[in-house]
Amino acid sequence: MKLLTPKIDRDSLFEKFAQIRRDLAATLIERDEEIDLILTALIAHEHVLLVGPPGCGKSLLLDSILQCVGGSKFSVLLTKFTTPEEVVGPVSLSALKDDRFVRVTTGKLPQVDFSFIDEVFKGSSAILNCLLKILNERVFDAGDGIAKAMPLKLCVGASNEWPSPETGKELSALFDRFALRKTVTPIRTHVGRQRLLWERSLTPKLSTSITPMEVEAARRAAESLPWSPEAREALESIIKELAREGIHPGDRRQRKTVGVVRAYAWLEGAEDVQPEHLEIAAHCLWDDPIEQPQKVAQVIAKVANPTGMRINQLLFEVEQLIGPCDIHDLAEAAKAAAKLAEIERQLASLKGNGRLDRARAYVREQLKKLKMASIEAI
Ligand SMILES: Nc1ncnc2c1ncn2[C@@H]1O[C@H](COP(=O)(O)OP(=O)(O)OP(=O)(O)O)[C@@H](O)[C@H]1O
Ligand SMILES: [Mg+2]
């Protein structure tokens, strides 16, 4: 068993992250990718931006994740009237009496481990400028000329809409501070909607928690994961292929992607980075939020994870089958069941990892439900 620090061993640390991942995914509906995104960012020491319509569970997800990490937290909802005082702390009145301008940062963004900034693009210029520096450099000068290192490990920003290219330099610079960015979509599947409507509680029950020290240990462990030659080659091919598609993620973004993929590989329990771990880079390697994310995901899936792409396609077919299927129409239900069984056979023929097993289990469960419902209907 490899020791990271005298107190934290790699296996139990990994198991803690895995447990949190399971606990969150068990309750939050169709938020597996977002959970992975935030945990990866936490391990990679990067920030995350989630954009989605009101009520799609962004706050619930973030609150739940912040609940499982110990350490100090700061949340704020930005409006154009929010003042810098509310984010970085008020000016000290006693210092002002001595003609000194110093902020009291206790409990505010410069002094916390984790922060959640809701409506992150709605702040005034003064706030946005302040965030630019804080998020990038993680240092803050309270006014006394001393730039102090901040403990900030993760900032998650949320918004209902993407900043448009016309909204100016400040917003695009802030947008670029988030290494991982994702559109959160409302629940898509029939099963998911049933759970949303009828499940008694949608608040995750957490069976473990992680301390800031453990986050730091995970970061160091992830940093030491090597990249396999195949994964290196795949990343280089992806960047070339994206350039052919007219997608040119900036140099800083490309560099950060290397660390993000490493962190994801660690979260997946890998000993080294393999091509399939590049899937997470679909949330890093683009600039235009409207046109590019889907293209980037396709290029990455094609180059690095064709099996993952096939699983997604088959799961999509499953939803198309069970969503509109009328189980009281026995002929229709039988047809859907036959197609589901065929999809299960196709999945069985693939070689893969945990995701494949989960997909197969899901299809088998749907098949069972369909058969039971048909029997009951008779
Ligand atoms: N995917 C989901 N899984 C579980 N619960 C969900 C999901 N989506 C929505 N909900 C339910 O809807 C509620 C509202 O979600 P939440 O407040 O987190 O949305 P939001 O995306 O933060 O909205 P806003 O953009 O208005 O802040 C949740 O507390 C939960 O009860
Ligand atoms: Mg919210």
Side-chain angles (χ1 to χ4, degrees), residues 323-370:
C325 177
D326 176 6
I327 47 158
H328 300 291
D329 180 337
L330 291 183
E332 196 181 316
K335 219 163 126 191
K339 283 191 181 154
L340 276 184
E342 171 52 26
I343 290 176
E344 213 289 305
R345 271 193 294 281
Q346 291 191 31
L347 284 169
S349 69
L350 298 174
K351 271 207 188 78
N353 46 24
R355 165 116 66 94
L356 180 59
D357 297 338
R358 286 197 293 276
R360 287 189 64 190
Y362 176 73
V363 176
R364 278 199 299 268
E365 195 190 315
Q366 296 317 310
L367 191 57
K368 201 166 124 192
K369 274 191 187 158
L370 197 62

Side-chain angles (χ1 to χ4, degrees), residues 209-279:
S209 62
I210 25 181
T211 63
M213 211 171 90
E214 287 170 325
V215 172
E216 181 55 25
R219 185 177 74 79
R220 274 188 278 119
E223 261 179 6
S224 66
L225 276 198
W227 274 69
S228 67
E230 298 79 21
R232 280 171 189 252
E233 205 184 311
L235 177 58
E236 288 175 24
S237 304
I238 287 165
I239 289 172
K240 275 190 212 143
E241 179 108 356
L242 290 178
R244 277 197 285 275
E245 295 270 351
I247 300 172
H248 305 277
D251 291 349
R252 174 169 59 190
R253 195 153 275 288
Q254 292 186 26
R255 173 87 188 157
K256 278 177 182 273
T257 301
V258 174
V260 166
V261 176
R262 250 195 205 113
Y264 181 62
W266 186 86
L267 189 66
E268 284 281 274
E271 294 291 327
D272 60 359
V273 178
Q274 290 294 324
E276 76 250 25
H277 300 132
L278 279 155
E279 206 177 6

